[in-house]
Amino acid sequence: MFPMIHPYFSMTILRWFEAHGRVLPWRQTHDPYAIWLSEIILQQTRIEQGRPYWERFMQRWPSVEKLAAASEDDVLREWQGLGYYSRARNLHKAARQIVELGRFPDTFETIKRLKGVGDYTAAAVGSIAFDLPVAVVDGNVYRVLARHFGISTPINSTEGKKEFAALAQALLPPDKASAYNQGMMDFGAMQCTPAADCAGCPLQESCVAYRENRVGELPVKLRTVKVSERRLVYVYIRCAGFTAIRRRTAGDIWQGLWEPANVSAFPELELLLGKARLVRKDVKHVLTHRIIYADFYLLETDERPLLPSDYIWIREEEMDSYGIPRLIQLFLESL
């Protein structure tokens, strides 16, 4: 089904990884908890940004049992700034699944049953922690395979996902799954990057995209996501050292995180704007499928205004104890 170049390709990746692979703290252990934690943090996050979070999580909760015993608020607070907060909530729920199970699951299927874990994460954790012969397929792997084998099938199509998964598995050396999977991740992140410099690439001679001058065209991805825009208006209330916040509810962005008075959610709060001072306007915040524009106001008052019942009053210095979206954090820092 696939070209006979596989052994050469796989051995080249292994040799490259041995010489150039990144030295990362979660690669210095076979502890499945530490490896799983790194994979969850690094979903949609660059290593240089995610590494300090991994280190803080491991210091505060060095075992899955300690993470499971933490409150969701504490986990969300520690996650603050990473975005995609559903990852943090799923991480916490999965920790409790593991504790209830009595051990860390050690097969591809049982790892995949953990909340927030899909094929890629299950393969990564399984191969690195337990030497399971399961290939990883992520953005880096798609790019390397599409270019080297000249595959034009869209990577986000049903056909493409099946084709690339089968090819990745066919290439995997069963007795070197951990090193090979990590090698593919690093090769795509460091050598075969989106703006690849093919000079010096050890796979240059056998690369179809290089030979046919198609490196910039591959991989192919169908455009399916429409980016929408949204406007939010916030009022930070300062009253005798206290401020009012509410927890965002399910079914919207930033579920479970806290925010100041949100005029966008409660139109009756527009009355506050007449007494408040505009601090920042049209602050742009980009999410995966949405662009948010936010206006921020500051209301300093001696009397607590009447607010909807889901708001609570806390001392301003206690704000650090609550998980808040990065957008709100930036606003508070400007105050």
Side-chain angles (χ1 to χ4, degrees), residues 35-316:
I35 295 166
W36 163 67
L37 178 62
S38 75
E39 291 297 336
I40 300 300
I41 288 175
L42 295 178
Q43 291 172 359
Q44 308 291 334
T45 301
R46 300 185 313 276
I47 283 180
E48 57 268 28
Q49 181 189 6
R51 180 171 179 163
Y53 283 86
W54 181 86
E55 291 170 343
R56 287 198 296 271
F57 265 79
M58 288 299 296
Q59 183 174 16
R60 184 168 182 182
W61 300 299
S63 68
V64 69
E65 290 80 10
K66 292 186 182 298
L67 178 60
S71 70
E72 184 179 280
D73 275 340
D74 281 345
V75 175
L76 288 172
R77 179 67 185 86
E78 205 65 55
W79 193 272
Q80 188 172 304
L82 268 182
Y84 302 93
Y85 288 91
S86 60
R87 290 183 295 164
R89 288 188 292 272
N90 289 340
L91 177 78
H92 191 224
K93 291 174 183 175
R96 293 184 170 179
Q97 283 180 269
I98 296 167
V99 169
E100 186 175 348
L101 183 65
R103 58 181 175 80
F104 203 100
D106 58 2
T107 68
F108 176 77
E109 290 301 330
T110 54
I111 296 171
K112 191 177 169 183
R113 290 185 195 131
L114 296 177
K115 189 74 173 175
V117 171
D119 287 347
Y120 166 77
T121 302
V125 174
S127 64
I128 298 170
F130 302 110
D131 294 318
L132 300 181
V134 186
V136 298
V137 184
D138 68 350
N140 289 322
V141 175
Y142 278 127
R143 186 166 55 254
V144 174
L145 296 183
R147 287 174 174 172
H148 188 267
F149 294 100
I151 303 172
S152 299
T153 312
I155 61 175
N156 56 339
S157 66
T158 300
E159 180 187 357
K161 290 176 181 177
K162 290 181 179 178
E163 182 177 354
F164 281 96
L167 176 57
Q169 190 62 39
L171 288 163
L172 180 79
D175 58 337
K176 294 183 173 61
S178 175
Y180 176 77
N181 277 339
Q182 293 177 83
M184 285 292 287
M185 297 177 206
D186 283 7
F187 192 82
M190 300 166 65
Q191 176 66 53
C192 193
T193 62
D197 178 6
C198 298
C201 175
L203 289 170
Q204 185 187 98
E205 291 185 7
S206 57
C207 179
V208 174
Y210 179 78
R211 185 167 61 247
E212 298 178 356
N213 197 26
R214 297 168 58 204
V215 173
E217 301 173 9
L218 298 174
V220 175
K221 187 173 184 180
L222 297 175
R223 287 186 169 272
T224 57
V225 178
K226 182 180 178 181
V227 177
S228 61
E229 294 185 356
R230 182 173 178 181
R231 175 166 291 279
L232 299 175
V233 179
Y234 286 107
V235 180
Y236 183 85
I237 304 171
R238 178 173 285 158
C239 181
F242 284 81
T243 190
I245 59 174
R246 69 182 278 266
R247 188 196 292 270
R248 291 185 62 86
T249 54
D252 201 356
I253 57 172
W254 304 326
Q255 174 186 329
L257 299 182
W258 296 80
E259 66 180 358
N262 185 346
V263 178
S264 316
F266 299 96
E268 63 269 29
L269 297 181
E270 285 186 8
L271 295 173
L272 300 177
L273 299 181
K275 305 174 184 178
R277 171 171 60 88
L278 179 63
V279 177
R280 298 183 68 181
K281 186 173 180 60
D282 290 331
V283 178
K284 185 178 180 181
H285 189 64
V286 180
L287 302 178
T288 305
H289 304 146
R290 189 172 300 170
I291 298 175
I292 294 175
Y293 293 94
D295 296 341
F296 293 103
Y297 290 79
L298 171 64
L299 173 61
E300 297 184 278
T301 178
D302 295 327
E303 295 184 8
R304 293 184 178 183
L306 185 63
L307 300 174
S309 60
D310 52 351
Y311 279 88
I312 64 172
W313 288 90
I314 64 168
R315 291 190 176 277
E316 288 189 86

